[in-house]
Amino acid sequence: MKKYSDSLRGYAFKVLQRDGFKCVYCGLDGTASFDAWAAMSWDHLLPKGHPQRDEEAYIVCACNFCNGADNRYFGQLERRGLSLLDLSPAQLVEQRRAGVQRTRDAYHAFWSEKVAAKA
Ligand SMILES: [Zn+2]
């Protein structure tokens, strides 16, 4: 079998497959269309330097938008009153979802006003 060195077909494939090729934050389904699949990436639930960062359990399937939607999350944990201690991967996803959703909501409002086709 051919070896791929990119994320979608290579090193992230197992994680994306485990998560059903669905973004854990917004639910975008990479099995539904090529464009959706091509928008997928993997998202680390723990920051650089954390001993478990690169364990597959702590990496999830996320679309590129959600992956970058709250990229100050790790740096702002303390300010937001959050902690990573003793949280399961599912709990880490839930904790991160709030910031991702805030950005999605703000972009959605912009999209509705300025981008979406008007009937
Ligand atoms: Zn997403």
Side-chain angles (χ1 to χ4, degrees):
M1 192 170 150
K2 187 167 169 38
K3 284 268 187 197
Y4 296 101
S5 59
D6 56 274
S7 63
L8 287 175
R9 301 172 300 172
Y11 60 87
F13 183 80
K14 254 172 77 184
V15 165
L16 272 52
Q17 186 175 44
R18 179 201 67 205
D19 292 343
F21 303 99
K22 281 197 180 122
C23 174
V24 298
Y25 301 111
C26 73
L28 182 66
D29 184 351
T31 67
S33 74
F34 171 77
D35 287 340
W37 174 73
M40 292 300 159
S41 66
W42 71 354
D43 185 39
H44 289 82
L45 298 173
L46 297 169
K48 288 191 174 93
H50 191 287
Q52 290 175 291
R53 174 178 164 87
D54 293 321
E55 290 179 17
E56 279 181 10
Y58 290 93
I59 305 173
V60 295
C61 179
C63 74
N64 283 315
F65 184 90
C66 290
N67 195 342
D70 189 20
N71 55 16
R72 296 188 303 167
Y73 169 74
F74 292 130
Q76 292 192 337
L77 285 171
E78 202 177 314
R79 209 176 111 193
R80 298 183 193 183
L82 302 173
S83 165
L84 304 172
L85 282 179
D86 300 324
L87 294 184
S88 69
Q91 290 170 319
L92 288 166
V93 167
E94 282 314 306
Q95 176 167 279
R96 188 164 175 132
R97 189 189 310 275
V100 171
Q101 192 58 49
R102 249 193 319 275
T103 302
R104 290 190 63 86
D105 290 346
Y107 273 72
H108 191 272
F110 181 94
W111 174 82
S112 294
E113 190 188 328
K114 310 253 191 202
V115 181
K118 305 284 186 234

